[in-house]
Amino acid sequence: MGASLGNRRKQLGESLGRFFRAELMATFHPGMFDNPKVAGLLLGSLTTFASLVLFVYVSTPDESVAPHAGLFVLIASVSLAVGLLSMLFRRFFTRAVRKVVLTFVLVDTAVSVYLTDTTSSALAMSTWILVVLALSYMFLPIVQSLPFAVAGTVLVTTALFVHPGMRGIDLLLIIPAAIIANFGLHWLVTSALKSETDDLTRLGNRIYFKRILNDHVRSAPPGDVTTVVLVDLDHFTLTNEVRQRAYGDTILIDFAARCTRLGGPDSGAVVARTAGDEFAILLPGMTTWQAEAAVEAMRADVHVFSAGIAGHEPGESASGLRTRVTEALSSAKRAGRGTTRIHGGHYATATAVGQAIANGEFSLVFQPIVDLRTRRAVGAEALLRWTHPTRGAISPVEFIPLCEASGAMPRLGDWIVDTAVTIASSWTMPVEPGAPPFYVSVNASGIELGDPHYADRLLALCAAAALPAGALKIELTESDYVVEYDAVHANMAQLQTSGIPIMIDDFGTGSSNLERLSEVRANVLKIDRRFISGIDCAADDAPLVQSILGLARGLGSSVIAEGVETDVQADWLEEHACRFAQGYLFSRPVASADLAAVCAGLSARSAALRPE
């Protein structure tokens, strides 16, 4: 019993110790008085306290009848007013205001030293100059505080020198002590600043950024938008080894200067060098997508880097935000470096996705796929949309990776296929005589196709909906194509044998090898939009697109070009034997209810442009 009670007391003591240490670290630190409210409150309260002390001093019997008692009362009254006003209007306590108040207190102290009637009172009053000097170091940048230190020492020394009754030997003792105390204060302040400052770039370091982020998260009002960016220079160690350290230091200094301009002027951005080649940036008031745009705009001017981005979520701790932005940076490095990744948060858990499905937050839209020979729609790709109750519309680029990471993708994938098959079974799109049925293509992740029972479930679903063979096609991204290869290969082979074609999406951006591609024999290769965007004139060679078209012909696969936006691109693709395409030139993604009208419009346009 006694041992148990002793252990609980020990645990309680340790918990209280950790709490108070954390509170002290959060409360006392370099830069704590950068906040105008804190600086105004402290300086105002100290000035008020000093004025009250002066009132008590002048009210003593010996001093109340002194010749300068009236002047002391006036000085104390003005000091009291300055102190109260500083506390009352502390939110306006800018650096300029601080300089004015400190100057007043400095002169006030020197005059008070001169007006005292006795030598001992003058010496006692002169000790207040140390408080004034300490305040100047606390409230102003180190360079701006030095003039106050010099002026304060000169003024008080002069006041003592001209004071009646002051002996020279007294000044000989006081002046060295004042100089040493001044240097001591300067050393303490600069040492504290160096503990949070990077020597090379003069930015804050990891300790500084951690403190600033903690303070910001604690004080941010509900609904406040805050984004953190973590940037890492790619292959910087190799650069240092090859080009020597001096060259690497120049890169770091230039990159640090560029990072400080990331948020724009008056943005309140905070930049710190958190590791050798790593920089952290706090961007108050900026969304993750705005931060991504700013980061991408910076790439053209600086050393190659990877970046992770995360936005603060309601109720999230600073450590949780730091963890997520670190995960985002790691994801960017795994993607091949030179890229940016956004960590969208933890809203896409398996439970949350299941609830979102039940609440009807997910929907499908459809983008027509067109036969370039006739310019008529032959199918449509089903595209997923998520309208979150608090986040609004979320990009699939953001939430799909989170769903995959959280294990929610199989359930979401089942919903997508089930919904797409149900909708497609009700379509009555006209097709040319002898042509395959109008089809819907559905994206599937490597995680889904890695399930050994995926093909069985899909075929059973098509049979239940009476969807004819060829009216459903499965799209698998090239990067996912190699995941759990054996199971993926088996599912793909079963689907193809059953009449469900397989498409390789975003072809040319992944890492599949030709041996595997020839084994699987994908029915369709979809050329990524980034290659198509490079076709901007009819005479363009577009060698990469031509290579993919040649490879597809050799494999016996057809090709769909994604992201076609101009007639020039469509004509070029048709001329080079690319049969199918999709993109904004033909239609944006539309709801199922509008798809028939869009397809009819394409047919009408085709008939007008290509009369038989």
Side-chain angles (χ1 to χ4, degrees), residues 361-503:
E361 297 171 19
F362 289 105
S363 62
L364 293 180
V365 292
F366 300 87
Q367 186 174 37
I369 298 172
V370 173
D371 186 332
L372 288 174
R373 297 179 306 175
T374 64
R375 303 298 168 99
R376 298 173 186 269
V378 295
E381 180 182 2
L383 300 169
L384 182 63
R385 298 291 183 263
W386 188 359
T387 304
H388 195 274
T390 58
R391 296 173 176 270
I394 310 174
S395 169
V397 176
E398 177 182 329
F399 72 76
I400 290 295
L402 296 178
C403 290
E404 292 177 344
S406 68
M409 203 61 226
R411 183 173 183 181
L412 183 57
D414 286 345
W415 179 89
I416 294 170
V417 173
D418 191 0
T419 304
V421 167
T422 301
I423 291 174
S425 65
S426 64
W427 285 343
T428 57
M429 310 298 183
V431 295
E432 296 180 355
F438 192 92
Y439 67 88
V440 61
S441 67
V442 177
N443 288 275
S445 69
I447 295 174
E448 293 173 79
L449 270 85
D451 178 1
H453 305 293
Y454 179 81
D456 292 333
R457 288 202 309 271
L458 193 60
L459 293 172
L461 186 62
C462 292
L467 194 69
L472 174 66
K473 296 185 180 182
I474 298 298
E475 296 191 21
L476 180 66
T477 58
E478 187 184 0
S479 57
D480 281 339
Y481 165 49
V482 295
V483 177
E484 296 291 343
Y485 175 71
D486 292 336
V488 172
H489 178 83
N491 275 314
M492 293 171 71
Q494 184 179 352
L495 291 173
Q496 288 174 312
T497 302
S498 302
I500 298 180
I502 299 297
M503 299 181 175

Side-chain angles (χ1 to χ4, degrees), residues 40 55 84 150 382 420-421 499 502 597:
F55 274 122
L84 293 175
V150 174
V421 167
I502 299 297

